[in-house]
């Protein structure tokens, strides 16, 4: 989310007029090219007590996803007789950000939990589990912009790890505009001082968009470029998700 543009002091005590986020060679502050992702590591099956789990490190983000279910939804009045409910809870640990975050759900985490639940509901074959509930917990241990994308990427791996039938995994990534340029996977400074930020998630098999939010301003042309860049990045992230599950499965068969 873009925050107050006058917070230049956050960038190493320099004013934003003095410090550029992208240099004349189109290289970003952390050394990345405009269309380059931060390093991503995904591990599936990291928690013994959950039915499915995944851990993701994405740039400075560290996020755990855990799945419980399907179990009978309780109290009974919340049950849907035709399909399972996906209840996704995104939570930021108090120590996950620079300034201690007040524990508990705020407006932001409620909104993120809702858009994530809806995206996951689209890919899970919920009609196979009437009256059931599938809990998906996303715990952000360390945040550095793009946590909803990292969380959703990990959540779909955790669902697959739990053996829950799905149309496909859900890779997610943010794309946006910084100093007039369309860039992929905004880091913390770019998120704070950039002109636009668009988290998106795509079903790779069908190319359908299941999460799309936008903060900032873009021309139609820039928006189209963002979409292309984001959709391509989701394909790369999808490969990492599949590799994490394959690795998990290999260990499982060895056991
Ligand atoms: O994390 P994501 O980009 O999905 O969501 P955001 O609302 O755009 O937040 C961007 C970043 O701001 C987070 O990843 C955190 O690093 C930071 N943030 C924070 O420092 N304190 C908060 N209460 C919320 C977010």
């Amino acid at each position: 989310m873009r925050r107050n543009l006058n917070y230049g002091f956050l960038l190493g005590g320099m004013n934003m007029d003095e410090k550029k986020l992208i240099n004349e060679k189109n290289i970003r502050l952390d050394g990345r090219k405009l269309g380059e992702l931060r390093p991503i590591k995904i591990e599936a099956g990291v928690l013994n007590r959950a039915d499915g789990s995944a851990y993701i490190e994405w740039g400075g983000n560290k996020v755990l996803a855990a799945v419980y279910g399907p179990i009978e939804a309780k109290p009974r009045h919340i049950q849907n007789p035709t399909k399972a409910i996906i209840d996704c809870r995104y939570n930021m640990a108090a120590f996950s950000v620079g300034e201690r975050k007040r524990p508990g759900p705020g407006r932001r985490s409620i909104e993120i939990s809702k858009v994530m639940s809806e995206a996951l509901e689209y890919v899970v074959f919920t009609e196979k589990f009437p009256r059931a509930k599938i809990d998906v917990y996303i715990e952000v241990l360390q945040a550095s912009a793009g946590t909803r994308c990292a969380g959703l990427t990990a959540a779909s791996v955790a669902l697959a790890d739990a053996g829950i039938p799905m149309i496909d995994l859900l890779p997610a990534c943010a794309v946006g505009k910084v100093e007039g340029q369309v860039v992929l996977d905004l880091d913390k400074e770019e998120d704070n001082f950039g002109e636009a930020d668009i988290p998106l998630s795509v079903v790779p098999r069908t190319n359908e968009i299941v999460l799309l939010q936008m903060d900032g301003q873009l021309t139609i042309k820039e928006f189209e470029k963002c979409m292309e860049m984001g959709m391509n990045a989701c394909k790369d992230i999808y490969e990492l998700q599949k590799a994490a599950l394959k690795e998990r499965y290999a260990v499982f068969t060895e056991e």
Side-chain angles (χ1 to χ4, degrees), residues 86-207:
I86 307 274
D87 191 1
C88 186
R89 289 189 198 184
Y90 165 100
N91 179 53
M92 267 184 146
F95 50 81
S96 65
V97 286
E99 216 170 280
R100 178 183 176 272
K101 189 202 153 276
R102 203 166 154 220
R107 262 179 46 192
R108 178 179 169 273
S109 16
I110 291 169
E111 173 221 305
I112 296 177
S113 301
K114 182 177 183 287
V115 293
M116 275 186 174
S117 298
E118 287 168 1
L120 292 171
E121 202 174 323
Y122 189 73
V123 284
V124 171
F125 287 110
T126 49
E127 66 282 1
K128 287 196 182 291
F129 309 104
R131 301 185 191 285
K133 183 164 174 256
I134 300 169
D135 289 320
V136 183
Y137 296 96
I138 314 278
E139 295 291 331
V140 178
L141 308 175
Q142 190 173 289
S144 189
T147 56
R148 77 194 67 197
C149 295
L152 194 54
T153 300
S156 62
V157 173
L159 281 163
D161 181 47
I164 291 170
M166 296 155 81
I167 299 171
D168 208 346
L169 295 165
L170 270 191
C173 184
V175 60
K177 184 173 158 189
V178 174
E179 292 174 355
Q181 308 249 41
V182 169
V183 297
L184 183 68
D185 186 20
L186 285 74
D187 68 14
K188 187 76 174 71
E189 281 80 21
E190 293 170 339
D191 183 281
N192 281 355
F193 304 107
E195 292 103 74
D197 176 27
I198 312 177
L200 86 153
S201 178
V202 177
V203 185
R205 193 164 289 170
T206 59
N207 261 348

